[in-house]
Amino acid sequence: MKKLLTAALCAASMMLASCTTMPSPSTGQAAQIGAAIDRAQVAYDRIALTAQLVLPFLSPERAARVRLAMSLAERGLLAARYAATAAEQLAALKQAEAATSSIEATAAASRSYEPPA
């Protein structure tokens, strides 16, 4: 138990030390990341509108996947906006963009679907 507590304290102190030694992103990098997040938000908003129109026509399983992807995209965008480091922002942004692409692919597939005659 004592070793576990010591390991946890060491890990916590290493995390704190790494936070103080990490360089801050330059003003240019921060602006680029902010612009990328804004573009991802616009793309998500556009896809979310389409998804809301298509959701009633999807199977329950597919609709659940779209709702999950929408939730992941929203959380990723929030995480990207409020992340502490540029690396965290970029990782969250990638997650949001991947979820948005998933929504777009599902919505596009359902629009091209024609029921059997």
Side-chain angles (χ1 to χ4, degrees):
M1 183 68 157
K2 189 175 180 181
K3 287 183 182 183
L4 183 61
L5 180 61
T6 303
L9 288 173
C10 287
S13 65
M14 287 173 39
M15 287 174 43
L16 287 174
S18 69
C19 289
T20 59
T21 59
M22 289 183 67
S24 299
S26 69
T27 305
Q29 288 174 323
Q32 287 176 342
I33 293 170
I37 293 169
D38 291 341
R39 284 191 304 273
Q41 182 70 56
V42 168
Y44 170 74
D45 291 343
R46 180 180 47 82
I47 296 303
L49 281 173
T50 302
Q52 290 297 335
L53 296 173
V54 172
L55 276 172
F57 303 102
L58 298 177
S59 69
E61 297 82 21
R62 194 173 242 181
R65 284 195 303 262
V66 169
R67 286 187 186 97
L68 175 62
M70 289 173 70
S71 176
L72 290 173
E74 291 167 2
R75 289 177 186 198
L77 288 166
L78 281 173
R81 289 202 187 280
Y82 297 109
T85 66
E88 289 173 356
Q89 282 183 312
L90 292 173
L93 182 59
K94 281 186 176 188
Q95 174 193 355
E97 288 173 337
T100 300
S101 294
S102 172
I103 298 165
E104 188 172 30
T106 302
S110 65
R111 283 185 295 220
S112 64
Y113 174 75
E114 292 181 22

